[in-house]
Amino acid sequence: MTRTDRIAALKQAARERILILDGSWGVMIQRRELDEADFRGERFRDHVGQMKGNNDILCLTRPDIISDLHDQYYAAGADISETNTFSATTIAQDDYHLDLQACIDINREGAKIARAKADEWTAREPHKPRFVAGSIGPLNKMLSMSSDVNDPGARLVTFDQVYQAYRQQVAALYEGGVDLYLIETITDTLNCKAAIKAILDLEDEGQEALPIWISGTITDRSGRTLSGQTAEAFWNSVKHAKPFAVGFNCALGADLMRPHIAEMARVADCLVAAYPNAGLPNAMGQYDEQPHETAHELHEWAKDGIVNILGGCCGTTPDHIKHVADEVAGVTPRQIPERPKALRLAGLEPFELS
């Protein structure tokens, strides 16, 4: 099956049913209790500084673990699994002193690992094709907010630097064989815009157009992203990309995320996706929400017609995903509304038009 065929199959599947994304990677990797040697492998045996905790590097040093996790999530019922590349940019990997070539290799190999497993499951279950989403994370440096409380204009990176880092990541994910891009856990919409521009520019230069899924993060009960936008303002900021899907993930459990997903379902004229945490973390930073509890919450969303794609973020496991997939099987996906043409603002301040 060619990539064009896979994209067509993805869009057809989205019309027929609620699609299922995989769950947390961090919690599953933590369960392996890996040591420094696992993260370093042979290639980075003499690399300066600590490598433990850099989960993305496992695409190169322990690909067996990454392949197994894709396998577990596809077996649990996921239609889409993400590449293990959330922080695989030169900006984020600078904390580990990794160079551009290492970042390119992480993205390319991460995509190849996921592609191999997706193709294996599609061959096994042709009635339920599996897809690969290239994970593009938010970066550890923000364009919209100051890095110095005493200097509102201070920034650690420029837009051009963020754009270039994302462009390098996107090109490598594409080469590795992803079916769509997932710009996720967005705290800063300007960072997201740099990623969108990188994707669209590469398309203009001849790279095949892939679906774009954009997933922001509402960080607290204020109902705003970290850079200060409401759900509707966030949508107005990114709708020019004509995304395949838009929604939210992380930060909140399903109960607290629901009103923001409902708002996105009201304003967005594309698929709406959500993958909440397994509740909020306890005092020890662990997630206590059980798979059946997560699945019950998300079934209510599906039944009420506000979602097209569901999955899990922090604290969720293959068991959570299996419960969610089972709960929403046969539920009709949200119908995409036709919204009238109108002036739609994305600013942070109210405007009075005369």
Side-chain angles (χ1 to χ4, degrees), residues 118-190:
D119 291 347
E120 180 182 313
W121 275 94
T122 298
R124 189 183 307 174
E125 299 178 350
H127 65 283
K128 183 181 170 67
R130 303 309 207 275
F131 308 100
V132 176
S135 175
I136 301 170
L139 301 188
N140 51 355
K141 296 178 175 64
M142 298 176 65
L143 289 168
S144 294
M145 298 179 69
S146 172
S147 56
D148 182 351
V149 295
N150 297 311
D151 182 2
R155 299 292 187 274
L156 295 175
V157 286
T158 65
F159 184 91
D160 287 347
Q161 289 171 328
V162 172
Y163 164 83
Q164 187 63 26
Y166 278 134
R167 183 185 170 97
Q168 293 157 349
Q169 181 177 32
V170 168
L173 288 170
Y174 179 87
E175 184 180 345
V178 301
D179 301 310
L180 66 156
Y181 304 114
L182 174 46
I183 309 171
E184 62 177 330
T185 321
I186 298 160
T187 53
D188 184 344
T189 310
L190 193 53

Side-chain angles (χ1 to χ4, degrees), residues 247-260:
F248 296 111
N249 73 289
C250 204
L252 304 175
D255 56 340
L256 296 176
M257 187 185 285
R258 176 172 175 134
H260 313 306

Side-chain angles (χ1 to χ4, degrees), residues 317-329:
T317 66
D319 199 23
H320 285 81
I321 298 308
K322 184 180 188 308
H323 276 72
V324 172
D326 290 346
E327 281 280 336
V328 305

Side-chain angles (χ1 to χ4, degrees), residues 2-3 10 14 20 34 70 79 105 161 193 213 223 243 260 303 324 350:
T2 67
R3 180 149 41 191
L10 172 65
I20 302 298
L34 303 177
H70 285 300
D79 297 284
D105 292 346
Q161 289 171 328
K193 282 177 173 286
W213 173 355
H260 313 306
K303 184 182 68 176
V324 172

